[in-house]
Amino acid sequence: FLFSDVLALPIFKQEDSSLPQENETKHPPFQYVMCAATSPAVKLYDETLTYLNQGQSYEIRMLDNRKAGDIPEINGKLVKSIIRVVFHDRRLQYTEHQQLEGWKWNRPGDRLLDLDIPMSVGVIDIKTNPSQLNAVEFLWDPTKCTSAFIQVHCISTEFTPRKHGGEKGVPFRIQVDTFKQTENGEYTDHLHSASCQIKVFKPKGADRKQKTDREKMEKRTAHEKEKYQPSYDTTVLTEMRLEPIIEDAVEHEQKKSSKRTLPADYGDSLAKRGSCSPWPDTPTTFVNNSPTPAPTFTSAQHTYSVPDSNSSSPNHQGDGTSQGSGDQLHPSATIQETQQWLLKNRFSAYTRLFSNFSGADLLKLTREDLVQICGPADGIRLYNALKSRSVRPRLTIYVCQEPLRSIQLERQDTGSGDSNGAIYVYHAIYLEEMAASEVTRKLALAFNIPLHQINQVYRQGPTGIHILVSDQMVQNFQDESCFLFTTIKAENGEGFHIILK
């Protein structure tokens, strides 16, 4: 309030013409809010600091902050965001590659940053790259509620030189870069970047540190408390100031190679990146035997879909087919087939680690071996995937397409019984969901019927009435029920109906 009163004095009414006017300040198109409290022990005009627990999921809400008419070219389209955990200290930024390689050596198979996919909402086409352990990317719709839950697995003291014990951990940054799609379909046109300062502690350590800071502030006098900002329930990622970052980067490159002349547009190229930590210069590829290297973040074999905000289920949205015996890793699998199996089953982070393993080699590893190599979570998951069995469906029904009328009449005329008449061949329909849509889809798959041509599915009831098959009806089906089905054309002549008898 005192600061506002000072600004209202007449002497401060003369504004500097060189400063941007209030209506000229840039309005950020997006806002990212992390659901984690800020520390109360931060000076009034310093940047906020947030403590996180290692491996705990934290929500980052992706918010559309555009005014009417701002960036109209993304209306009705998706944007791409890349979330990274990077170093806050400039000294460590310059040696980021070496620091991450050292961490990777000490923690084989682990990632610095992961996305908690079951918890996330509204993010699609999630991709990770085993060569960039500190980043994840995804697409999202700014008009829908979107939340990305992140997990940071590195702790701040892992990058501190251990000389005397009890060293102070280094701060990190959670950084979000958002891009729009270009004319050629690539998401490379930078829109917005923001970040916040964090420190990561071992599990429960962040809670203890937050409590310690709060107790210290309570012991301070009222006058001393005025010098500190209050603790907020959430952390708002703030936009980055690129100018000093670019200047430092140019100066660093010039010192590193005084004999080499930097391009005139080197600073501009950094500005276009929109991030405080430069992208790695080394190409990042998956470990495979293909002659064409995969571009950064390419993971066609390793793509997830997460339900949008209107979805009632947080489960992964796949192609709807259950994992069969064809997805099992066989002992005869070659090294290349083993790599493909790892990618297909969401173990892309370990393709480099198991780059020389055949199927037999991988299957010989015990549960304890995999836990020691990959950590408890991924080790158990990999062991279960290697030893997995088919999951029992929630409901099984048997369905047969009714024979043609002419065959039925012929059988009646001859007076033959069922044993000498038309052969009824049933298909087993395994339902993972007790829903009418699941019945429709499985019928289309089993009998090679175009799904879009099926209008409705009915069940023939008493006196020949047709009852619409609903979710509630499916939930009341007896397990291993048998049905005959026939098709009739729709009234409008477009598609047809299926009748279960």
Side-chain angles (χ1 to χ4, degrees), residues 39-41 51 208-217:
S39 168
Y51 303 131
R208 291 192 292 268
K209 178 62 175 173
Q210 186 82 354
K211 180 181 178 181
T212 302
D213 285 0
R214 188 167 56 248
E215 291 173 349
K216 287 182 179 179
M217 293 306 302

Side-chain angles (χ1 to χ4, degrees), residues 98-391:
Q98 292 87 338
Q99 297 289 339
L100 299 186
E101 283 296 317
W103 186 89
K104 181 180 176 181
W105 178 262
N106 293 323
R107 301 269 297 272
D110 287 354
R111 290 186 57 84
L112 280 84
L113 181 69
D114 268 327
L115 202 65
D116 191 340
I117 300 173
M119 293 288 290
S120 300
V121 174
V123 296
I124 60 176
D125 196 21
I126 304 165
K127 297 179 182 178
T128 57
N129 190 306
S131 298
Q132 290 191 351
L133 306 178
N134 62 328
V136 294
E137 75 166 43
F138 53 84
L139 303 180
W140 59 287
D141 187 347
T143 62
K144 294 184 179 180
C145 295
T146 304
S147 291
F149 282 76
I150 63 167
Q151 298 171 332
V152 183
H153 299 292
C154 56
I155 58 177
S156 294
T157 53
E158 289 183 286
F159 300 94
T160 303
R162 287 169 172 75
K163 297 179 180 179
H164 310 291
E167 283 81 9
K168 190 175 181 181
V170 301
F172 301 121
R173 300 195 72 83
I174 294 294
Q175 178 178 321
V176 181
D177 301 302
T178 300
F179 305 84
K180 67 179 179 180
Q181 199 171 20
T182 59
E183 295 179 355
N184 59 5
E186 297 180 355
Y187 290 90
T188 55
D189 196 349
H190 177 258
L191 286 175
H192 180 245
S193 293
S195 66
C196 67
Q197 186 181 190
I198 64 167
K199 279 191 175 182
V200 186
F201 297 82
K202 290 183 178 180
K204 301 295 179 103
D207 305 323
R208 291 192 292 268
K209 178 62 175 173
Q210 186 82 354
K211 180 181 178 181
T212 302
D213 285 0
R214 188 167 56 248
E215 291 173 349
K216 287 182 179 179
M217 293 306 302
E218 290 174 354
K219 295 178 182 179
R220 295 182 183 272
T221 63
H223 179 69
E224 290 176 332
K225 290 180 180 178
E226 292 177 357
K227 300 178 182 179
Y228 293 85
Q229 54 182 281
S231 174
Y232 300 98
D233 293 336
T234 58
T235 303
V236 178
L237 279 66
T238 56
E239 288 191 291
M240 305 174 188
R241 294 175 61 248
L242 295 177
E243 293 80 3
I245 297 169
I246 295 171
E247 292 173 1
D248 287 354
V250 173
E251 181 182 356
H252 172 71
E253 288 295 323
Q254 289 175 339
K255 288 181 178 179
K256 189 171 67 173
S257 181
S258 58
K259 297 180 181 180
R260 177 167 57 92
T261 303
L262 294 174
D265 59 348
Y266 181 78
D268 295 337
S269 64
L270 283 179
K272 291 178 182 177
R273 294 178 180 177
S275 57
C276 67
S277 179
W279 294 103
D281 295 329
T282 56
T284 56
T285 60
F286 285 112
V287 180
N288 53 36
N289 297 326
S290 59
T292 305
T296 303
F297 277 107
T298 297
S299 62
Q301 310 95 326
H302 180 42
T303 302
Y304 310 95
S305 295
V306 175
D308 59 20
S309 56
N310 299 324
S311 175
S312 60
S313 173
N315 296 331
H316 305 303
Q317 304 294 312
D319 59 0
T321 58
S322 58
Q323 180 176 337
S325 60
D327 289 336
Q328 290 286 336
L329 182 66
H330 298 284
S332 59
T334 64
I335 292 177
Q336 185 175 4
E337 290 171 344
T338 304
Q339 292 285 300
Q340 293 173 353
W341 184 88
L342 289 169
L343 290 171
K344 187 176 182 180
N345 290 272
R346 300 188 294 114
F347 295 104
S348 58
Y350 305 103
T351 52
R352 186 185 298 273
L353 193 62
F354 298 118
S355 58
N356 294 320
F357 278 63
S358 64
D361 296 332
L362 203 55
L363 288 167
K364 288 177 182 177
L365 296 176
T366 64
R367 185 175 185 271
E368 290 72 20
D369 293 335
L370 294 172
V371 168
Q372 185 175 1
I373 295 171
C374 306
D378 284 340
I380 295 173
R381 190 167 66 88
L382 179 54
Y383 177 80
N384 291 337
L386 291 169
K387 310 294 182 182
S388 65
R389 297 178 181 177
S390 299
V391 179

